[in-house]
Amino acid sequence: MYKAKVIAVALAVVLSGNVVRAEDQSALWLTDDQITLIRTNCVDVQSTLQRIHSSDALVRVNLGQRYETIATKLMAPLNSRIALNRLDSVELTKTTADFNEALAEFRTLYQQYEQTTLSAIEMKCKDQPVRFYDTIALARDHRAAVHDAVGKLNSLLKQYGEQFTAFRAQVLADRKES
Amino acid sequence: MGIDELKKDAIAMTKWQQHRFFTLIVGVIIISFFLVSVALSLYNSSGAAQLDLSKPGYQDVRQQAKRDTTTKAYPSTGPLDKEALDSFAKMYTEHTGRVMSVDTFDSAALSEESLRMLNGTHDASSAQ
């Protein structure tokens, strides 16, 4: 019983210590002058964020739709057609599965990024300048993650294209031989 | 039935019977609040909120969203001859070209230089 209490207290101390460090990180970095500047500029920053938020939503809608089209109207039907013709398409199928997984990850990461940006836009930044600064730093990280997810999707598209070119060459060569 | 009989009936009613219409209205309101809260939480958690350009903040960009209803699907049946493979190659190049040609979600948009949050002083990280 005594041991459990000690462990619980130690755990609470360790966890609370982490939280305090995380919250105070920016407060340690930012000088009073910088905090004042954030307080002064934050409404303009929120207005810029609002514009970025709107244009990002448009990019998300259009880009997501294009990726969906490629996955459902091109990749999946080709894989089915290859299978129906009893040809080997293991690599193409695997890349399609990876692409769908990366697309789901992109959706999740964008959702995370959008919510962080929205919280920065809706925040009372004059009252909480340090928290506002931290939220924007977090939004930067989330945006970088979305950028990476887009890069991964594009590299999978390139990979699928290369695999298809190799598959096409193989099929046409086999047809010539037979 | 006279008014006296109605009054007698009303007195004979239980509390529940006397207030059942009021209870019905309150019940309907509570159920509708519950259903709306479930719908809103699904709207937010499913990612639909991020795709909804009908919200007030998106008037400027709403017109630019393109609904892709014209793209034909590649036929999932049929022989895989040169013509079919070339047709796929053409469609694939066309569609991938549209998404791969633009650099989206670049970090510059949220950079300190772009937002100018600490305009007039050093960058926060250099003030440690």
Side-chain angles (χ1 to χ4, degrees), chain B residues 11-27:
Chain B
I11 291 164
M13 276 181 175
T14 61
K15 282 273 179 197
W16 157 246
Q17 283 173 325
Q18 281 175 22
H19 298 104
R20 61 186 172 183
F21 184 69
F22 177 73
T23 312
L24 176 79
I25 298 294
V26 170

Side-chain angles (χ1 to χ4, degrees), chain A residues 49-57 110 114 117-118 121, chain B residues 58:
Chain A
L49 282 177
Q50 181 65 58
R51 281 197 299 276
I52 294 169
H53 184 247
S54 298
S55 64
D56 280 349
Y110 180 80
E114 194 269 348
T117 313
L118 195 64
I121 292 167
Chain B
Y58 300 119

Side-chain angles (χ1 to χ4, degrees), chain A residues 28-31 33-34 37-38 41 45 48-50 52-63 65-67 69-70 72-75 77-78 80-82 84-85 87 106 110-111 113-115 117 132-133 136 139-140 143-144 146-147 150 154-158 160-161 164 167-168 171-172 175, chain B residues 44-47 49-53 55 57-58 61-82 84-86 88-89 91-92 95-96 98-100 102-112 114-128:
Chain A
L28 288 174
W29 292 353
L30 294 166
T31 62
D33 287 347
Q34 286 174 324
L37 271 169
I38 293 168
N41 295 333
V45 172
T48 310
L49 282 177
Q50 181 65 58
I52 294 169
H53 184 247
S54 298
S55 64
D56 280 349
L58 180 66
V59 172
R60 162 68 184 90
V61 168
N62 286 337
L63 199 62
Q65 195 166 240
R66 282 170 185 167
Y67 284 136
T69 301
I70 292 169
T72 58
K73 293 187 173 178
L74 296 178
M75 288 173 152
L78 178 74
S80 299
R81 193 159 170 168
I82 292 171
L84 283 171
N85 281 273
L87 295 165
F106 164 71
Y110 180 80
Q111 194 175 350
Y113 161 67
E114 194 269 348
Q115 281 165 357
T117 313
F132 179 68
Y133 183 86
I136 289 180
R140 274 187 199 124
R143 189 182 174 86
V146 175
H147 184 260
V150 171
N154 288 346
S155 81
L156 284 167
L157 285 179
K158 197 178 167 199
Y160 190 89
F164 171 74
F167 171 80
R168 180 179 173 275
V171 168
L172 294 179
R175 290 271 153 85
Chain B
N44 286 317
S45 65
S46 67
Q50 280 74 40
L51 299 174
D52 184 4
L53 297 184
K55 288 187 283 188
Y58 300 119
V61 297
R62 201 175 297 153
Q63 302 298 324
Q64 297 167 51
K66 292 160 195 156
R67 182 178 284 274
D68 183 14
T69 53
T70 54
T71 303
K72 281 184 185 172
Y74 183 73
S76 57
T77 54
L80 268 177
D81 51 14
K82 189 176 183 304
L85 292 168
D86 287 348
F88 179 83
M91 286 174 85
Y92 190 78
H95 280 88
T96 53
R98 284 186 208 158
V99 287
M100 290 167 82
V102 282
D103 184 26
T104 50
F105 302 106
D106 64 324
S107 55
L110 288 187
S111 66
E112 176 51 39
S114 168
L115 295 176
R116 300 167 75 83
M117 196 160 35
L118 301 169
N119 197 14
T121 62
H122 301 293
D123 188 78
S125 55
S126 64
Q128 288 174 59

Side-chain angles (χ1 to χ4, degrees), chain A residues 5-165:
Chain A
K5 276 183 184 172
V6 170
I7 290 168
V9 170
L11 207 64
V13 168
V14 168
L15 287 176
S16 64
N18 280 344
V19 171
V20 168
R21 262 199 299 280
E23 282 176 355
D24 288 344
Q25 215 165 23
S26 291
L28 288 174
W29 292 353
L30 294 166
T31 62
D32 288 345
D33 287 347
Q34 286 174 324
I35 291 171
T36 310
L37 271 169
I38 293 168
R39 203 172 267 137
T40 313
N41 295 333
C42 77
V43 177
D44 291 337
V45 172
Q46 280 184 322
S47 161
T48 310
L49 282 177
Q50 181 65 58
R51 281 197 299 276
I52 294 169
H53 184 247
S54 298
S55 64
D56 280 349
L58 180 66
V59 172
R60 162 68 184 90
V61 168
N62 286 337
L63 199 62
Q65 195 166 240
R66 282 170 185 167
Y67 284 136
E68 292 275 356
T69 301
I70 292 169
T72 58
K73 293 187 173 178
L74 296 178
M75 288 173 152
L78 178 74
N79 295 344
S80 299
R81 193 159 170 168
I82 292 171
L84 283 171
N85 281 273
R86 296 182 180 184
L87 295 165
D88 179 27
S89 68
V90 177
E91 284 187 342
L92 288 170
T93 309
K94 193 185 173 305
T95 307
T96 306
D98 290 345
F99 183 80
N100 286 327
E101 203 176 300
L103 191 55
E105 196 184 345
F106 164 71
R107 287 192 204 105
T108 310
L109 289 170
Y110 180 80
Q111 194 175 350
Q112 202 176 32
Y113 161 67
E114 194 269 348
Q115 281 165 357
T116 312
T117 313
L118 195 64
S119 71
I121 292 167
E122 290 173 347
M123 193 177 284
K124 287 181 178 171
C125 61
K126 284 187 184 288
D127 299 338
Q128 301 165 301
V130 175
R131 195 164 156 241
F132 179 68
Y133 183 86
D134 283 345
T135 308
I136 289 180
L138 190 63
R140 274 187 199 124
D141 292 346
H142 288 165
R143 189 182 174 86
V146 175
H147 184 260
D148 291 347
V150 171
K152 189 179 175 187
L153 282 164
N154 288 346
S155 81
L156 284 167
L157 285 179
K158 197 178 167 199
Q159 183 181 312
Y160 190 89
E162 287 166 359
Q163 285 169 347
F164 171 74
T165 307

